[in-house]
Amino acid sequence: MSGHVYLITEEPFANEKSGPWTKIGYSKNPPEWRMNANLKRGNPRTLIVFDVFVYQTQTEARKWEKNAHNHFNQYLHQKEWFNLKPEEISSWFVSNGAIKRS
């Protein structure tokens, strides 16, 4: 069964100085389900699925999620949220052979 590594971003409020915030997560389900199921609850900002990378197995997807967390650890804010632009993270995945969902 395949797995997904996804990047979700928060749209900042007008004139907001914090961020950018990007979540690096893993899901066996489509990331939109994960986002709508519980990430939007209690969050006043708009969330957007920026990129999704598909892996042949859930084990491989979890491994690459962990690799990304380790690689970007210095930018970690809370749990799986990183103070980085999603383009930077996406580029790292692609440079490591990740395939974007079509």
Side-chain angles (χ1 to χ4, degrees), residues 21-95:
W21 301 111
T22 305
K23 176 178 174 38
I24 304 170
Y26 154 81
S27 180
K28 62 183 177 181
N29 298 308
E32 292 79 6
W33 177 88
R34 169 82 169 98
M35 184 175 73
N36 292 327
N38 62 4
L39 290 177
K40 284 188 177 181
R41 283 191 220 144
N43 188 340
R45 292 177 183 83
T46 300
L47 298 177
I48 300 164
V49 176
F50 182 83
D51 259 335
V52 179
F53 303 98
V54 180
Y55 293 90
Q56 289 186 352
T57 67
Q58 292 176 27
T59 301
E60 188 178 5
R62 278 191 216 116
K63 177 187 95 172
W64 278 101
E65 178 206 28
K66 184 176 181 176
N67 288 347
H69 285 202
N70 290 336
H71 181 78
F72 295 111
N73 188 55
Q74 70 190 51
Y75 303 102
L76 179 64
H77 174 64
Q78 290 181 348
K79 297 183 181 181
E80 297 182 333
W81 287 93
F82 295 80
N83 188 209
L84 277 172
K85 292 180 181 180
E87 295 87 357
E88 294 176 70
I89 300 169
S90 180
S91 178
W92 179 83
F93 271 100
V94 170
S95 73

